[in-house]
Amino acid sequence: MDTLPQAGASLPTLPRPCDSDSVIPAIRHFLLLILGSIAVTGCTSQIKVKPNELLSPAVGAMENTSLKTVKIAVSDFSLKTGKGADEIGEAKTGVFNMPTPIKIDEPANLMVSNAIKRGLSYSGFQVVGPEEADRILDGSVEEFWVDEYATGYSMEYAKARVRYDVILKDRTGKSMWAKTIEKFMTSVKSMDATDDDIPTLKRVLNESVAALLEDPAFWAKLK
């Protein structure tokens, strides 16, 4: 029969759990195993994203080969919001959905301008420097963010929003056309939405570039 520790004796030291994932509720753990869901657990302080993870090789655009000879320069967009310099979202990780920042090496404003450059290039335009350009596209990013609806009591989903202003200028710098581009998207519901954060932000970024390139008013100003 086990004996109790004598008075004054120190109790055995238990292993110190990490900050967020020390206890797994039996029901949630059972459901995760049944559904084959992979939760992001452990003492994660941040999630790092490579810039090219957010750039698709091509986006949709109107077909107008007569305008493809127009040379376009895309300036590095500015960043209006305090968010986006190195943090582009917040994941909810672990069983207790602890807030975890999503970090990136390249700021959001450059992510947007580079996505537009890639979209123009894949659409057949000549993307050049400002000294060679017939038109110059400038802009500023107001929002570039992804987070999750995750309460622990219902299915989760990622939600992403991209919003930026674009200004088309002629070679002298005179403004010809301007528009605010805004796109919002959510992922499908799942047991753990963290794996959907970056794909959802990627889709909404590409949808925003497609919205610009498919705008007839934008094409009209390229003539």
Side-chain angles (χ1 to χ4, degrees), residues 27-28 31-32 35 37 92 94-97 148-159 187-194 196:
I27 295 178
R28 180 175 174 87
L31 288 174
L32 290 176
L35 297 176
S37 182
K92 300 292 181 62
V95 175
F96 298 111
N97 288 324
E148 300 170 18
Y149 174 82
T151 64
Y153 301 102
S154 61
M155 299 290 279
E156 303 175 358
Y157 58 87
K159 45 193 175 73
S187 68
V188 297
K189 294 181 179 180
S190 65
M191 290 295 295
D192 188 349
T194 299
D196 295 322

Side-chain angles (χ1 to χ4, degrees), residues 111-127:
M111 291 297 308
V112 172
S113 52
N114 286 337
I116 293 174
K117 288 178 184 178
R118 182 171 290 196
L120 287 166
S121 178
Y122 275 93
S123 297
F125 286 98
Q126 300 180 57
V127 180

Side-chain angles (χ1 to χ4, degrees), residues 3-161:
T3 58
L4 295 174
Q6 302 201 359
S10 59
L11 294 174
T13 302
L14 296 176
R16 181 181 178 86
C18 66
D19 294 335
S20 61
D21 301 310
S22 57
V23 180
I24 300 178
I27 295 178
R28 180 175 174 87
H29 182 60
F30 177 74
L31 288 174
L32 290 176
L33 291 176
I34 291 295
L35 297 176
S37 182
I38 302 175
V40 179
T41 58
C43 302
T44 305
S45 59
Q46 65 181 31
I47 297 173
K48 293 288 287 183
V49 181
K50 297 178 181 179
N52 59 9
E53 290 184 59
L54 290 173
L55 293 177
S56 283
V59 295
M62 294 174 61
E63 289 297 328
N64 193 330
T65 55
S66 64
L67 297 180
K68 299 299 178 66
T69 57
V70 177
K71 297 179 180 179
I72 303 178
V74 180
S75 302
D76 290 342
F77 283 22
S78 61
L79 188 63
K80 284 187 176 181
T81 177
K83 297 179 179 179
D86 65 347
E87 186 174 331
I88 57 171
E90 183 179 86
K92 300 292 181 62
T93 61
V95 175
F96 298 111
N97 288 324
M98 300 300 292
T100 304
I102 301 174
K103 299 281 189 175
I104 194 166
D105 294 331
E106 188 173 74
N109 51 311
L110 296 185
M111 291 297 308
V112 172
S113 52
N114 286 337
I116 293 174
K117 288 178 184 178
R118 182 171 290 196
L120 287 166
S121 178
Y122 275 93
S123 297
F125 286 98
Q126 300 180 57
V127 180
V128 298
E131 66 282 350
E132 305 176 54
D134 302 309
R135 301 286 186 268
I136 300 172
L137 197 63
D138 200 357
S140 59
V141 176
E142 296 183 10
E143 191 170 5
F144 190 88
W145 192 256
V146 62
D147 54 23
E148 300 170 18
Y149 174 82
T151 64
Y153 301 102
S154 61
M155 299 290 279
E156 303 175 358
Y157 58 87
K159 45 193 175 73
R161 185 184 302 275

